Amino acid sequence: MTAEYKVHGDVALITLNNPPVNGLGYETRVGITRGLEQAEADPAVKAIVVTGAGKAFSGGADIKEFGSPKAYQDPNLLSVILALENASKPVVAAIHSVCMGGGLELALGCHYRLAAPGCKVALPEVKLGLIPGAGGTQRLPRVLGVEAALNMIVSGEPVASERLAGLPGQKLFDQLAASPASLLDEALALARKVAAQQAGGSVLPRVRDLPCRHPQGDAYFQFARNMVKGMAKNFPAPAKCVDAVEAATRMKFDQGLAFEREIFINLMQTPECRALRHVFAAERAASKIPDVPEDQPARKIEQVAVIGAGTMGGGIAMNFLNAGLPVKILEMKPEALERGLATIRKNYEAQVKKGKLKPEVLEQRLALLSTTLSYGDIRDADLVIEAVFEEMGVKQKVFETLDQTMKPGAILATNTSTLDVDKIASFTKRPQDVVGMHFFSPANVMKLLEVVRGGKTAKDLLATVMQLAKKIKKTAVVSGVCDGFIGNRMIEQYSRQAGFLLEEGATPEQVDKAIERFGFAMGPFRMGDLAGNDIGWAIRKRRYVEQPGMKYSKTADLLCEMGRFGQKTGAGWYDYQAGKRDAIPSELVNKMISEHRQAQGITPRKISDEEIVQRLVFSLVNEAAHILEEGIASKASDIDMVYLTGYGFPLWRGGPMQYADTVGLFNVAQAMKRFARNPQDDAAFWQPAPLLARLAAEGKTFN
Ligand code: NAI
């Protein structure tokens, strides 16, 4: 049983006990109901207190039950709440630490609520593409007022209990406990007091009986709808939150409850909700590595060193400073250190200007930062991350020196984006201590961290890096060693397709617009102009030598030969006005493309936006299927996380693998066979990867 029952004199205490956050799974629901029955049946019991053991009152639905029929098996949450509300004896919720989702809805079904200070209170369902489905949209406005409740429901963000307790006229909390430690005693005392009141003839208060009104309802809900439309255009749930709360003001309680339920069930079936629930689970799954036990002891990381104060080194250092860890940056020359330091300071100052950082915090962070030109000064660091030039010779010298100087057990990480991590590890006598930590630019902003696991990387090291990633608020995904790791290996196929599309008749603008309408933050050509088209050029030049059979469109090379590297040279696929970032379609580039087509004897054809999107996205999917099959990624959901957090893939589509699952793998494979017949395209590439072909044939999915 995951809810305990105990009697304290004349008060029964029901304690939810389903670690880690007392999720309201089937067993817990049964436990609460049984406890309630016992308390009702015991004449010595005059009142009931419901609370949570450990680190939460309740975090809401049990994620272990997510999407399974068990989540709705009777007693379902609605009936548990109804049972509490209809209890003949007063029920007091003693709330602390975390009270979210179904947990808050449960508390709202109790007659009285007592909260400890410092408790996080939320209805976060909207973040999973849903609305609260157990009365939250009907009861919360009755205790907090329509506006405060709708803000919480639409944002899903937690609010501190003491803030809520301070809202004028609020009825969410009857009392705020003096401290978490005294919560239980105060709850028992409150229970006895209200039991005495009941004995004196007073009726048990129920939230459902409170009025729910807004003085300017029409105007307010119109305003709320407009706000929500602007903020969440690709997600249906936020607008439905407004509908449900409005219903609370216009319908009878039970009617409103049914209305809420209907919305909830309909949302559950939407692709957006499925995508968001997938992402929720994928994020948690990413930190689990199949052959590394969850209780694997980790190494201690108290001091960090970064080698190289360039674009990446500075951003990487900021992550650790933000998490309160001291960082020492090593460079070759004092000028490089000064430049790097100035950039870090400038980045922090920009945050202060925007009001995102307090000036004193800026100083605290910079106080944790020090610099050096000597390896002797970083010898005691627990983790060193190398971010020097992308040349094997340079990396070799750095890793040989690190091997000679660093203390035993120190983690030696490289931020390389293209080089072989096993080769880098081989420059040391401790390859088990070497790992890739592939940050994305700007490293202090981008959420993604690819953790590149070498052939010999130790398990405890991996466990350490995954833990550390959480501390610096990154989404870490493990990748095996291969060219480009997960993300860049896939993006290369996507870029190739973008090139073929130009040759066949599309313009850069058409391609970008189509994929941006699909939801990517930026199309491939605008992206190229931002990152620098010379980077891809360098990679292709290498490919022409190493893989002469690989087919590319020449347009990108011709562009670079014109010196159009992108925003940094003032011109790329697009024209740019001095000091501005707006991409202006370029006549010169379009002329170059059309001359190239002529030279190749290609008659341009009209390409639909649908074909553009499919070729770009399915190229990612096919390469990803190879990556999965080779074991470079251990699960499809990891690939989705890489694309959602590092490459601007639209969140509401759940990542490339989830999207392919939604389209249906059979349809995806069919489309690939069609693309293979395009004369300009790479027919060999479009052979569906064996894993994809198999899943498509069996009617299965990646996720
Ligand atoms: P960068 O050229 O901006 O910075 C490199 C820094 O390393 C320079 O400040 C240089 O003085 C310093 N350096 C070079 N050799 C050194 C040595 N032997 N000892 C100490 N310092 C040395 O380069 P960036 O862009 O920061 O790239 C660094 C690494 O990060 C490369 O491996 C790159 O592939 C990788 N990377 C770059 C990304 C990007 O978008 N720029 C993204 C992800 C990874």
Side-chain angles (χ1 to χ4, degrees), residues 26 58 113 116 132 196 222 240 258 263 289 328 348 360 377 405 429 435 453 458 528 592 661 675 677 690:
Y26 172 72
S58 170
R113 284 161 300 279
Q222 188 54 45
K240 296 291 177 192
I263 296 178
I289 312 170
K328 192 165 279 204
Y348 277 133
E360 59 271 24
D377 286 341
T405 44
K429 286 188 263 336
V435 69
R453 176 180 193 170
M592 174 274 282
D661 284 350
F675 302 149
R677 293 197 287 271

PDB file of all heavy atoms in Angstrom, residues 26 58 113 116 132 196 222 240 258 263 289 328 348 360 377 405 429 435 453 458 528 592 661 675 677 690:
ATOM      1  N   TYR A  26      -2.418   4.054  -8.914  1.00  0.00           N
ATOM      2  CA  TYR A  26      -3.539   3.218  -8.508  1.00  0.00           C
ATOM      3  C   TYR A  26      -3.450   2.804  -7.028  1.00  0.00           C
ATOM      4  O   TYR A  26      -4.408   2.995  -6.265  1.00  0.00           O
ATOM      5  CB  TYR A  26      -3.605   1.987  -9.414  1.00  0.00           C
ATOM      6  CG  TYR A  26      -4.603   0.963  -8.955  1.00  0.00           C
ATOM      7  CD1 TYR A  26      -5.962   1.207  -9.072  1.00  0.00           C
ATOM      8  CD2 TYR A  26      -4.178  -0.245  -8.394  1.00  0.00           C
ATOM      9  CE1 TYR A  26      -6.889   0.272  -8.635  1.00  0.00           C
ATOM     10  CE2 TYR A  26      -5.097  -1.185  -7.954  1.00  0.00           C
ATOM     11  CZ  TYR A  26      -6.453  -0.924  -8.074  1.00  0.00           C
ATOM     12  OH  TYR A  26      -7.358  -1.843  -7.633  1.00  0.00           O
ATOM     13  N   SER A  58       2.170  15.954  -2.743  1.00  0.00           N
ATOM     14  CA  SER A  58       2.018  15.081  -3.901  1.00  0.00           C
ATOM     15  C   SER A  58       2.356  15.847  -5.173  1.00  0.00           C
ATOM     16  O   SER A  58       1.944  16.992  -5.347  1.00  0.00           O
ATOM     17  CB  SER A  58       0.592  14.539  -3.994  1.00  0.00           C
ATOM     18  OG  SER A  58       0.436  13.893  -5.255  1.00  0.00           O
ATOM     19  N   ARG A 113      -7.395  23.343   4.220  1.00  0.00           N
ATOM     20  CA  ARG A 113      -6.026  23.200   3.729  1.00  0.00           C
ATOM     21  C   ARG A 113      -5.074  24.043   4.569  1.00  0.00           C
ATOM     22  O   ARG A 113      -5.311  25.235   4.788  1.00  0.00           O
ATOM     23  CB  ARG A 113      -5.937  23.627   2.256  1.00  0.00           C
ATOM     24  CG  ARG A 113      -6.501  22.587   1.284  1.00  0.00           C
ATOM     25  CD  ARG A 113      -6.831  23.192  -0.057  1.00  0.00           C
ATOM     26  NE  ARG A 113      -7.820  24.245   0.082  1.00  0.00           N
ATOM     27  CZ  ARG A 113      -9.133  24.028   0.183  1.00  0.00           C
ATOM     28  NH1 ARG A 113      -9.616  22.803   0.106  1.00  0.00           N
ATOM     29  NH2 ARG A 113      -9.974  25.032   0.360  1.00  0.00           N
ATOM     30  N   ALA A 116       2.573  24.437   4.510  1.00  0.00           N
ATOM     31  CA  ALA A 116       3.855  24.851   5.079  1.00  0.00           C
ATOM     32  C   ALA A 116       4.444  25.918   4.169  1.00  0.00           C
ATOM     33  O   ALA A 116       4.195  25.916   2.965  1.00  0.00           O
ATOM     34  CB  ALA A 116       4.787  23.655   5.161  1.00  0.00           C
ATOM     35  N   PRO A 132      -5.868  20.621 -16.451  1.00  0.00           N
ATOM     36  CA  PRO A 132      -6.130  19.790 -15.282  1.00  0.00           C
ATOM     37  C   PRO A 132      -7.426  19.031 -15.520  1.00  0.00           C
ATOM     38  O   PRO A 132      -8.375  19.602 -16.062  1.00  0.00           O
ATOM     39  CB  PRO A 132      -6.265  20.796 -14.141  1.00  0.00           C
ATOM     40  CG  PRO A 132      -5.537  22.019 -14.625  1.00  0.00           C
ATOM     41  CD  PRO A 132      -5.731  22.046 -16.115  1.00  0.00           C
ATOM     42  N   ALA A 196     -14.576  20.048  16.444  1.00  0.00           N
ATOM     43  CA  ALA A 196     -15.400  20.618  17.518  1.00  0.00           C
ATOM     44  C   ALA A 196     -16.460  21.545  16.929  1.00  0.00           C
ATOM     45  O   ALA A 196     -17.619  21.547  17.352  1.00  0.00           O
ATOM     46  CB  ALA A 196     -14.510  21.365  18.515  1.00  0.00           C
ATOM     47  N   GLN A 222     -12.019  37.504 -23.234  1.00  0.00           N
ATOM     48  CA  GLN A 222     -11.599  37.893 -24.579  1.00  0.00           C
ATOM     49  C   GLN A 222     -10.113  38.264 -24.554  1.00  0.00           C
ATOM     50  O   GLN A 222      -9.317  37.806 -25.378  1.00  0.00           O
ATOM     51  CB  GLN A 222     -12.446  39.088 -25.040  1.00  0.00           C
ATOM     52  CG  GLN A 222     -12.235  39.458 -26.493  1.00  0.00           C
ATOM     53  CD  GLN A 222     -12.439  38.267 -27.422  1.00  0.00           C
ATOM     54  OE1 GLN A 222     -13.404  37.529 -27.275  1.00  0.00           O
ATOM     55  NE2 GLN A 222     -11.508  38.044 -28.335  1.00  0.00           N
ATOM     56  N   LYS A 240      -7.627  26.106 -24.318  1.00  0.00           N
ATOM     57  CA  LYS A 240      -8.646  25.276 -23.654  1.00  0.00           C
ATOM     58  C   LYS A 240      -8.685  25.554 -22.147  1.00  0.00           C
ATOM     59  O   LYS A 240      -9.725  25.372 -21.507  1.00  0.00           O
ATOM     60  CB  LYS A 240      -8.365  23.786 -23.902  1.00  0.00           C
ATOM     61  CG  LYS A 240      -8.473  23.403 -25.369  1.00  0.00           C
ATOM     62  CD  LYS A 240      -9.910  23.476 -25.834  1.00  0.00           C
ATOM     63  CE  LYS A 240     -10.034  23.162 -27.312  1.00  0.00           C
ATOM     64  NZ  LYS A 240     -11.351  23.488 -27.845  1.00  0.00           N
ATOM     65  N   ALA A 258     -17.826  18.287 -15.921  1.00  0.00           N
ATOM     66  CA  ALA A 258     -17.982  17.425 -17.095  1.00  0.00           C
ATOM     67  C   ALA A 258     -17.350  18.082 -18.323  1.00  0.00           C
ATOM     68  O   ALA A 258     -16.720  17.427 -19.151  1.00  0.00           O
ATOM     69  CB  ALA A 258     -19.468  17.147 -17.344  1.00  0.00           C
ATOM     70  N   ILE A 263     -12.847  18.205 -22.358  1.00  0.00           N
ATOM     71  CA  ILE A 263     -11.685  18.871 -22.967  1.00  0.00           C
ATOM     72  C   ILE A 263     -10.434  18.029 -22.713  1.00  0.00           C
ATOM     73  O   ILE A 263      -9.621  17.795 -23.610  1.00  0.00           O
ATOM     74  CB  ILE A 263     -11.475  20.285 -22.378  1.00  0.00           C
ATOM     75  CG1 ILE A 263     -12.645  21.185 -22.719  1.00  0.00           C
ATOM     76  CG2 ILE A 263     -10.171  20.882 -22.890  1.00  0.00           C
ATOM     77  CD1 ILE A 263     -12.537  22.588 -22.125  1.00  0.00           C
ATOM     78  N   ILE A 289      21.510   5.512 -18.795  1.00  0.00           N
ATOM     79  CA  ILE A 289      22.339   4.827 -19.778  1.00  0.00           C
ATOM     80  C   ILE A 289      22.164   3.330 -19.544  1.00  0.00           C
ATOM     81  O   ILE A 289      22.338   2.869 -18.412  1.00  0.00           O
ATOM     82  CB  ILE A 289      23.817   5.240 -19.613  1.00  0.00           C
ATOM     83  CG1 ILE A 289      23.916   6.776 -19.523  1.00  0.00           C
ATOM     84  CG2 ILE A 289      24.676   4.710 -20.744  1.00  0.00           C
ATOM     85  CD1 ILE A 289      25.271   7.290 -19.130  1.00  0.00           C
ATOM     86  N   LYS A 328      38.832  27.642 -13.691  1.00  0.00           N
ATOM     87  CA  LYS A 328      40.087  28.282 -14.089  1.00  0.00           C
ATOM     88  C   LYS A 328      40.261  28.064 -15.591  1.00  0.00           C
ATOM     89  O   LYS A 328      40.161  26.939 -16.070  1.00  0.00           O
ATOM     90  CB  LYS A 328      41.249  27.641 -13.311  1.00  0.00           C
ATOM     91  CG  LYS A 328      42.538  28.421 -13.432  1.00  0.00           C
ATOM     92  CD  LYS A 328      43.548  27.991 -12.371  1.00  0.00           C
ATOM     93  CE  LYS A 328      43.219  28.678 -11.064  1.00  0.00           C
ATOM     94  NZ  LYS A 328      44.191  28.873 -10.101  1.00  0.00           N
ATOM     95  N   TYR A 348      27.654  38.686 -19.223  1.00  0.00           N
ATOM     96  CA  TYR A 348      26.963  38.866 -17.942  1.00  0.00           C
ATOM     97  C   TYR A 348      26.358  40.262 -17.847  1.00  0.00           C
ATOM     98  O   TYR A 348      25.235  40.442 -17.379  1.00  0.00           O
ATOM     99  CB  TYR A 348      27.919  38.626 -16.769  1.00  0.00           C
ATOM    100  CG  TYR A 348      28.081  37.155 -16.420  1.00  0.00           C
ATOM    101  CD1 TYR A 348      29.347  36.600 -16.221  1.00  0.00           C
ATOM    102  CD2 TYR A 348      26.971  36.323 -16.267  1.00  0.00           C
ATOM    103  CE1 TYR A 348      29.509  35.261 -15.888  1.00  0.00           C
ATOM    104  CE2 TYR A 348      27.119  34.981 -15.938  1.00  0.00           C
ATOM    105  CZ  TYR A 348      28.389  34.458 -15.747  1.00  0.00           C
ATOM    106  OH  TYR A 348      28.529  33.139 -15.418  1.00  0.00           O
ATOM    107  N   GLU A 360      25.142  42.266  -8.111  1.00  0.00           N
ATOM    108  CA  GLU A 360      25.992  41.602  -7.112  1.00  0.00           C
ATOM    109  C   GLU A 360      26.214  40.128  -7.481  1.00  0.00           C
ATOM    110  O   GLU A 360      27.260  39.553  -7.194  1.00  0.00           O
ATOM    111  CB  GLU A 360      25.448  41.759  -5.686  1.00  0.00           C
ATOM    112  CG  GLU A 360      24.045  41.222  -5.437  1.00  0.00           C
ATOM    113  CD  GLU A 360      22.937  42.239  -5.713  1.00  0.00           C
ATOM    114  OE1 GLU A 360      23.156  43.176  -6.507  1.00  0.00           O
ATOM    115  OE2 GLU A 360      21.842  42.069  -5.135  1.00  0.00           O
ATOM    116  N   ASP A 377      48.839  25.087 -12.628  1.00  0.00           N
ATOM    117  CA  ASP A 377      47.765  25.725 -11.853  1.00  0.00           C
ATOM    118  C   ASP A 377      46.431  25.004 -11.956  1.00  0.00           C
ATOM    119  O   ASP A 377      45.495  25.330 -11.220  1.00  0.00           O
ATOM    120  CB  ASP A 377      47.561  27.171 -12.337  1.00  0.00           C
ATOM    121  CG  ASP A 377      48.683  28.072 -11.866  1.00  0.00           C
ATOM    122  OD1 ASP A 377      49.380  27.686 -10.904  1.00  0.00           O
ATOM    123  OD2 ASP A 377      48.869  29.137 -12.478  1.00  0.00           O
ATOM    124  N   THR A 405      50.041  16.055 -16.308  1.00  0.00           N
ATOM    125  CA  THR A 405      49.896  16.972 -15.170  1.00  0.00           C
ATOM    126  C   THR A 405      48.687  16.726 -14.277  1.00  0.00           C
ATOM    127  O   THR A 405      48.763  16.968 -13.078  1.00  0.00           O
ATOM    128  CB  THR A 405      49.808  18.442 -15.654  1.00  0.00           C
ATOM    129  OG1 THR A 405      48.933  18.492 -16.772  1.00  0.00           O
ATOM    130  CG2 THR A 405      51.153  18.973 -16.049  1.00  0.00           C
ATOM    131  N   LYS A 429      47.478   7.965 -21.143  1.00  0.00           N
ATOM    132  CA  LYS A 429      47.577   6.603 -20.601  1.00  0.00           C
ATOM    133  C   LYS A 429      46.348   6.288 -19.754  1.00  0.00           C
ATOM    134  O   LYS A 429      46.340   5.310 -19.015  1.00  0.00           O
ATOM    135  CB  LYS A 429      48.860   6.478 -19.767  1.00  0.00           C
ATOM    136  CG  LYS A 429      50.113   6.421 -20.665  1.00  0.00           C
ATOM    137  CD  LYS A 429      51.366   6.105 -19.917  1.00  0.00           C
ATOM    138  CE  LYS A 429      52.247   7.276 -19.502  1.00  0.00           C
ATOM    139  NZ  LYS A 429      52.198   8.537 -20.210  1.00  0.00           N
ATOM    140  N   VAL A 435      36.446  11.689 -22.173  1.00  0.00           N
ATOM    141  CA  VAL A 435      35.069  11.697 -22.660  1.00  0.00           C
ATOM    142  C   VAL A 435      34.881  12.927 -23.544  1.00  0.00           C
ATOM    143  O   VAL A 435      35.635  13.899 -23.410  1.00  0.00           O
ATOM    144  CB  VAL A 435      34.086  11.727 -21.454  1.00  0.00           C
ATOM    145  CG1 VAL A 435      34.142  13.071 -20.728  1.00  0.00           C
ATOM    146  CG2 VAL A 435      32.657  11.413 -21.863  1.00  0.00           C
ATOM    147  N   ARG A 453      30.744   9.066 -25.647  1.00  0.00           N
ATOM    148  CA  ARG A 453      31.300   7.962 -24.887  1.00  0.00           C
ATOM    149  C   ARG A 453      32.327   7.231 -25.745  1.00  0.00           C
ATOM    150  O   ARG A 453      31.997   6.634 -26.769  1.00  0.00           O
ATOM    151  CB  ARG A 453      30.157   7.015 -24.540  1.00  0.00           C
ATOM    152  CG  ARG A 453      30.585   5.777 -23.847  1.00  0.00           C
ATOM    153  CD  ARG A 453      29.375   4.908 -23.542  1.00  0.00           C
ATOM    154  NE  ARG A 453      29.763   3.864 -22.615  1.00  0.00           N
ATOM    155  CZ  ARG A 453      28.918   3.058 -22.002  1.00  0.00           C
ATOM    156  NH1 ARG A 453      27.626   3.166 -22.239  1.00  0.00           N
ATOM    157  NH2 ARG A 453      29.344   2.136 -21.172  1.00  0.00           N
ATOM    158  N   ALA A 458      35.035   5.261 -18.706  1.00  0.00           N
ATOM    159  CA  ALA A 458      34.566   4.536 -17.512  1.00  0.00           C
ATOM    160  C   ALA A 458      33.108   4.863 -17.203  1.00  0.00           C
ATOM    161  O   ALA A 458      32.639   5.967 -17.456  1.00  0.00           O
ATOM    162  CB  ALA A 458      35.443   4.910 -16.322  1.00  0.00           C
ATOM    163  N   GLY A 528      22.816  28.611 -42.105  1.00  0.00           N
ATOM    164  CA  GLY A 528      24.165  28.622 -42.667  1.00  0.00           C
ATOM    165  C   GLY A 528      24.772  30.013 -42.601  1.00  0.00           C
ATOM    166  O   GLY A 528      25.934  30.195 -42.220  1.00  0.00           O
ATOM    167  N   MET A 592      23.279  32.863 -59.584  1.00  0.00           N
ATOM    168  CA  MET A 592      24.321  31.834 -59.497  1.00  0.00           C
ATOM    169  C   MET A 592      23.694  30.433 -59.563  1.00  0.00           C
ATOM    170  O   MET A 592      24.152  29.552 -60.292  1.00  0.00           O
ATOM    171  CB  MET A 592      25.108  32.024 -58.188  1.00  0.00           C
ATOM    172  CG  MET A 592      26.143  30.962 -57.869  1.00  0.00           C
ATOM    173  SD  MET A 592      25.491  29.520 -56.999  1.00  0.00           S
ATOM    174  CE  MET A 592      25.354  30.172 -55.322  1.00  0.00           C
ATOM    175  N   ASP A 661       7.019   8.684 -36.449  1.00  0.00           N
ATOM    176  CA  ASP A 661       6.032   7.742 -35.893  1.00  0.00           C
ATOM    177  C   ASP A 661       4.615   8.233 -36.144  1.00  0.00           C
ATOM    178  O   ASP A 661       3.707   7.445 -36.422  1.00  0.00           O
ATOM    179  CB  ASP A 661       6.240   7.575 -34.379  1.00  0.00           C
ATOM    180  CG  ASP A 661       7.440   6.687 -34.063  1.00  0.00           C
ATOM    181  OD1 ASP A 661       7.977   6.057 -34.999  1.00  0.00           O
ATOM    182  OD2 ASP A 661       7.839   6.625 -32.880  1.00  0.00           O
ATOM    183  N   PHE A 675      11.591   9.671 -53.390  1.00  0.00           N
ATOM    184  CA  PHE A 675      12.688  10.633 -53.498  1.00  0.00           C
ATOM    185  C   PHE A 675      13.886  10.007 -54.222  1.00  0.00           C
ATOM    186  O   PHE A 675      14.624  10.689 -54.920  1.00  0.00           O
ATOM    187  CB  PHE A 675      13.135  11.132 -52.124  1.00  0.00           C
ATOM    188  CG  PHE A 675      12.033  11.778 -51.329  1.00  0.00           C
ATOM    189  CD1 PHE A 675      12.019  11.708 -49.933  1.00  0.00           C
ATOM    190  CD2 PHE A 675      10.998  12.453 -51.970  1.00  0.00           C
ATOM    191  CE1 PHE A 675      11.006  12.293 -49.208  1.00  0.00           C
ATOM    192  CE2 PHE A 675       9.972  13.047 -51.249  1.00  0.00           C
ATOM    193  CZ  PHE A 675       9.979  12.961 -49.856  1.00  0.00           C
ATOM    194  N   ARG A 677      13.940   8.364 -56.714  1.00  0.00           N
ATOM    195  CA  ARG A 677      13.794   8.425 -58.179  1.00  0.00           C
ATOM    196  C   ARG A 677      14.114   9.813 -58.750  1.00  0.00           C
ATOM    197  O   ARG A 677      14.180   9.981 -59.951  1.00  0.00           O
ATOM    198  CB  ARG A 677      12.367   8.000 -58.577  1.00  0.00           C
ATOM    199  CG  ARG A 677      12.100   6.522 -58.294  1.00  0.00           C
ATOM    200  CD  ARG A 677      10.878   6.023 -59.049  1.00  0.00           C
ATOM    201  NE  ARG A 677       9.631   6.517 -58.481  1.00  0.00           N
ATOM    202  CZ  ARG A 677       8.945   5.894 -57.516  1.00  0.00           C
ATOM    203  NH1 ARG A 677       9.384   4.745 -57.019  1.00  0.00           N
ATOM    204  NH2 ARG A 677       7.831   6.392 -57.050  1.00  0.00           N
ATOM    205  N   PRO A 690      17.888  -0.243 -42.770  1.00  0.00           N
ATOM    206  CA  PRO A 690      17.286  -1.552 -42.453  1.00  0.00           C
ATOM    207  C   PRO A 690      16.311  -1.507 -41.275  1.00  0.00           C
ATOM    208  O   PRO A 690      15.223  -2.080 -41.350  1.00  0.00           O
ATOM    209  CB  PRO A 690      18.497  -2.424 -42.135  1.00  0.00           C
ATOM    210  CG  PRO A 690      19.636  -1.779 -42.864  1.00  0.00           C
ATOM    211  CD  PRO A 690      19.337  -0.317 -42.937  1.00  0.00           C
TER     212      PRO A 690
END
